[in-house]
Amino acid sequence: MGDLLTTLGSGLPLVGAEVTFWWVMGRIGLVLLLVHVLLIVGALMVWAERRVSAWMQDRLGPNRVGPEGLLQPLADLGKFMFKEDVVPKHTSKWMYMLAPAISLVPAMVTFAVIPFTGSYEPIYGADGQPTGEYITQSWQIADLNIGVLYILAIASLGVYGVTLGGWASNSKYSLLGGVRASAQMISYELSLGLAVVPVVLMVSSLRLGDIIAYQADTVWLLFTQPVAFFIFLVASYAETNRLPFDMPESETELVAGYHTEYSSMKFALFFLAEYTHMIVGAALVVTLFCGGWTFFGLEQLGWIMGVLIFAAKTTFFLFAFIWVRWTLPRFRYDQLMALGWAWFLPIALLNIVLTGGALAFDQDWVLYILPVALIAAAVIAAWFKYRRDLDNDVPKLERAPQLVGVAGSGGEER
Amino acid sequence: MAANVKPVRREAQTFKERLFLPAIIKGLGITFRRIFKKKVTMQFPEERWEVRDEYRGAPVLVKDDENRPKCVACSLCEYVCPPKAIYIVPDEIEDPEHAHVERGPAVFNINMLRCIFCGLCEEACPEEAIFMSKEYALWGATRAELIHDKETLYELGGIRPDPIKKWSNK
Ligand code: SF4
Ligand code: SF4
């Protein structure tokens, strides 16, 4: 068994491997495998979301179908399959059909560059003897040297599905949802991209494998760039349209937002797309800030260990997605925009300038006080804003006038 | 209209509240602790509510402690039932030994789709033969299944000890 796994593992395409027929076949097999893993984990996420949210509300959640309700997604799938697939007359057919796929595919494609495990290879000295040092070699479907750019480019394509779905539905709720999605995406894509820049600066490579190798050699970027980590995490919540940023859906105002008019499997695709985005988002956070598939040397046990470490870390961040969703209420739209533009953007920019400056002038000490300095700057800015609002007695600080019911106010006044 | 609007002045937010993050972290802590709390969900078919004695569930027919049906098919319950859920066909009782004593129902149907669980049948019955049980989980795949016939009613009712023992005394 062990032998077989090792053979399989070494058969996984590595950098510089010669392009042969079997190499191509191996890649295709890997793609198929990962797509299925993504779909299955996405389905499990639906189950996890329902169970965890139930636990947080002192309930039990679905626990009837299969052990602990694990087969619930299958039952849901059956339900989706046999539901009537309503295509309203007033929609723009092609776009309406296409939108769910457009929102799902980019999420899956992004996963191509994320290293899910890797190997350790000894470095040989000039005399042909191992020097005792190792290089980490990440394994992924495509080892792009511009991995980070690729992710930023592809991941944001997902919003086209949402926006097009909202537009093609030709309904006011859907349209509003779609418009909100695009506005939100623009605001947060910026902070998301800028939060990655300090990481790239420190690693001086856009390849995700290098980022992981850097973190394995030094420390996780989570510790050296906590502010960037926080901004990236929050922005990725906004990117995936999750609470507290689920403006495109906001059930309370927009029925169901962009997928109001969708039913059956088309709705299921949108649903799945959201979860796939979450998985990719969590995997990205893990890769960029938490050392990817490495864990303080534990990964040297073999590539299976790497997969397990990667899965465990990703699971934690997936749990965080659920955790945050069932804790925080939805932001108001202006608050959402203010947070993105007035807070995250300047902090991310400041972070880039300071990190870049420190690296350019070899002032390592700046990097150590950087997180503290950024947090302090943010708090001080918040304090000044708070004082100013108090001085101006901005009514925003108080709640808006409330309608108070008067006994017997059956409209006599009118 | 103006009289209905009352501006409510509230305390301005403090700086800590304004930062939001402390509140968010606190909230995350609360939800996380909730995960391990005891759950309130009742696993229905396996666990059931204990209903109180005065609960009015499905009306059922009972037998006395000698396992003999008590209903004499007087049709009072049929008469009193507000939604006319009960249907009775009176007949001689099947047991020849007691044939002289009383009569009994040949058909006794209660349509549970009509029954409003008012309990009037129980009150009207001169023989204490019909009771409101505690059975509240009634279901059926067809409408016909929900019309309880005599056998079902006796099965649901079971035996209810009765000190009068009218069978032996007569
Ligand atoms: S409980 Fe009321 S409605 Fe139901 S069978 Fe008895 S009398 Fe009729
Ligand atoms: S159940 Fe009671 S009231 Fe109804 S027919 Fe029988 S004896 Fe009469």
Side-chain angles (χ1 to χ4, degrees):
Chain A
M1 186 68 186
D3 276 359
L4 179 67
L5 284 175
T6 321
T7 323
L8 269 177
S10 56
L12 283 172
L14 300 173
V15 206
E18 218 175 309
V19 180
T20 61
F21 174 72
W22 290 113
W23 183 86
V24 174
M25 283 294 133
R27 289 265 163 138
I28 291 175
L30 193 61
V31 169
L32 285 178
L33 180 73
L34 281 187
V35 165
H36 283 90
V37 167
L38 271 183
L39 287 176
I40 290 168
V41 176
L44 283 182
M45 272 304 288
V46 180
W47 168 84
E49 172 113 50
R50 291 172 66 182
R51 283 312 295 262
V52 172
S53 65
W55 290 336
M56 284 177 177
Q57 297 168 350
D58 291 353
R59 299 182 287 118
L60 285 172
N63 62 348
R64 293 281 157 161
V65 193
E68 287 295 305
L70 265 172
L71 296 181
Q72 185 68 35
L74 272 185
D76 288 348
L77 183 73
K79 189 192 77 174
F80 276 129
M81 285 287 206
F82 290 109
K83 273 204 168 179
E84 188 184 353
D85 191 2
V86 184
V87 180
K89 268 251 169 64
H90 54 72
T91 55
S92 147
K93 283 256 160 43
W94 271 105
M95 286 300 164
Y96 181 83
M97 302 272 192
L98 214 54
I102 295 183
S103 70
L104 178 61
V105 170
M108 294 202 152
V109 172
T110 317
F111 208 80
V113 292
I114 296 178
F116 48 88
T117 184
S119 62
Y120 268 73
E121 309 212 331
I123 296 176
Y124 294 99
D127 52 351
Q129 294 298 316
T131 53
E133 296 199 344
Y134 293 86
I135 47 166
T136 44
Q137 181 63 61
S138 290
W139 294 353
Q140 60 260 304
I141 293 177
D143 186 23
L144 286 189
N145 55 2
I146 50 158
V148 173
L149 286 186
Y150 171 85
I151 285 169
L152 292 179
I154 301 289
S156 48
L157 284 182
V159 77
Y160 279 95
V162 173
T163 313
L164 279 179
W167 175 78
S169 297
N170 197 7
S171 117
K172 57 188 170 191
Y173 300 122
S174 306
L175 184 63
L176 275 175
V179 169
R180 282 180 179 192
S182 49
Q184 180 175 317
M185 182 64 87
I186 292 168
S187 316
Y188 279 85
E189 188 72 25
L190 207 57
S191 314
L192 187 90
L194 291 178
V196 186
V197 174
V199 171
V200 175
L201 282 177
M202 290 183 77
V203 181
S204 52
S205 167
L206 285 164
R207 176 181 277 138
L208 291 171
D210 291 346
I211 294 177
I212 290 176
Y214 173 88
Q215 295 182 74
D217 286 347
T218 57
V219 297
W220 293 359
L221 284 160
L222 164 65
F223 301 119
T224 38
Q225 288 287 350
V227 177
F229 165 75
F230 181 72
I231 294 177
F232 188 89
L233 191 68
V234 176
S236 70
Y237 282 34
E239 293 268 304
T240 46
N241 297 333
R242 292 285 293 185
L243 267 161
F245 305 108
D246 69 336
M247 304 306 299
E249 260 184 73
S250 51
E251 294 90 345
T252 36
E253 318 143 44
L254 297 184
V255 188
Y258 61 92
H259 54 57
T260 307
E261 305 285 338
Y262 282 86
S263 51
S264 187
M265 274 315 278
K266 294 203 193 73
F267 169 74
L269 272 191
F270 267 134
F271 205 55
L272 195 63
E274 180 180 328
Y275 284 94
T276 316
H277 271 290
M278 276 165 65
I279 298 166
V280 172
L284 261 182
V285 173
V286 167
T287 307
L288 291 177
F289 293 98
C290 300
W293 51 270
T294 64
F295 192 81
F296 308 116
L298 196 63
E299 71 280 1
Q300 296 179 12
L301 291 180
W303 64 275
I304 296 178
M305 208 60 210
V307 174
L308 290 180
I309 293 168
F310 181 71
K313 286 177 180 175
T314 311
T315 308
F316 173 77
F317 280 100
L318 286 175
F319 171 75
F321 267 105
I322 299 175
W323 188 11
V324 167
R325 166 163 182 189
W326 296 97
T327 304
L328 300 186
R330 182 180 307 127
F331 274 81
R332 217 170 50 211
Y333 200 60
D334 60 318
Q335 292 170 333
L336 178 93
M337 286 295 157
L339 187 69
W341 290 99
W343 295 101
F344 284 173
L345 184 62
I347 295 174
L349 281 175
L350 195 63
N351 194 8
I352 293 176
V353 171
L354 291 180
T355 312
L359 292 171
F361 298 106
D362 269 335
Q363 304 289 330
D364 271 357
W365 58 273
V366 178
L367 289 181
Y368 292 116
I369 60 159
L370 188 64
V372 187
L374 283 173
I375 293 167
V379 171
I380 290 169
W383 172 254
F384 275 114
K385 176 150 193 310
Y386 173 68
R387 290 308 315 174
R388 201 192 61 192
D389 287 355
L390 269 193
D391 291 345
N392 299 349
D393 193 24
V394 177
K396 241 195 304 183
L397 282 182
E398 286 151 25
R399 283 172 226 173
Q402 312 243 319
L403 262 181
V404 178
V406 177
S409 64
E412 314 92 301
E413 299 276 335
R414 253 155 270 152
Chain B
M1 199 43 211
N4 284 357
V5 178
K6 187 169 148 208
V8 180
R9 306 265 318 164
R10 297 189 195 268
E11 288 288 301
Q13 288 171 320
T14 62
F15 181 59
K16 198 178 143 206
E17 281 169 348
R18 206 63 207 295
L19 277 180
F20 290 116
L21 274 181
I24 287 175
I25 290 164
K26 203 167 149 195
L28 288 175
I30 290 173
T31 41
F32 191 76
R33 261 176 281 136
R34 280 272 148 192
I35 294 181
F36 308 103
K37 284 255 167 71
K38 198 178 166 323
K39 308 298 174 227
V40 294
T41 310
M42 182 171 269
Q43 300 274 310
F44 167 63
E46 294 92 28
E47 299 168 30
R48 286 168 188 249
W49 288 107
E50 270 304 311
V51 291
R52 297 169 58 130
D53 286 345
E54 56 270 43
Y55 186 84
R56 297 202 303 263
V60 293
L61 291 173
V62 298
K63 297 182 176 179
D64 68 1
D65 27 13
E66 283 161 50
N67 203 19
R68 274 181 297 226
K70 291 166 81 180
C71 175
V72 294
C74 70
S75 295
L76 277 179
C77 52
E78 184 181 19
Y79 181 75
V80 80
C81 177
K84 300 273 169 263
I86 303 180
Y87 173 73
I88 299 171
V89 176
D91 197 5
E92 307 247 308
I93 65 171
E94 299 129 26
D95 176 5
E97 202 191 323
H98 296 284
H100 64 289
V101 183
E102 300 279 12
R103 51 183 202 155
V107 177
F108 197 119
N109 287 347
I110 302 185
N111 186 342
M112 294 314 300
L113 295 165
R114 287 193 140 209
C115 175
I116 56 173
F117 304 93
C118 62
L120 286 183
C121 47
E122 179 181 355
E123 271 185 52
C125 182
E127 298 286 336
E128 308 218 322
I130 189 164
F131 281 92
M132 302 304 281
S133 68
K134 290 185 183 176
E135 185 61 44
Y136 55 84
L138 300 164
W139 66 276
T142 59
R143 290 179 164 262
E145 265 178 63
L146 279 167
I147 298 176
H148 287 173
D149 59 8
K150 197 169 72 176
E151 282 69 37
T152 320
L153 290 169
Y154 275 125
E155 196 188 307
L156 282 173
I159 289 168
R160 193 165 181 122
D162 174 12
I164 295 175
K165 303 251 190 309
K166 63 175 183 174
W167 298 98
S168 28
N169 290 348
K170 234 177 186 177

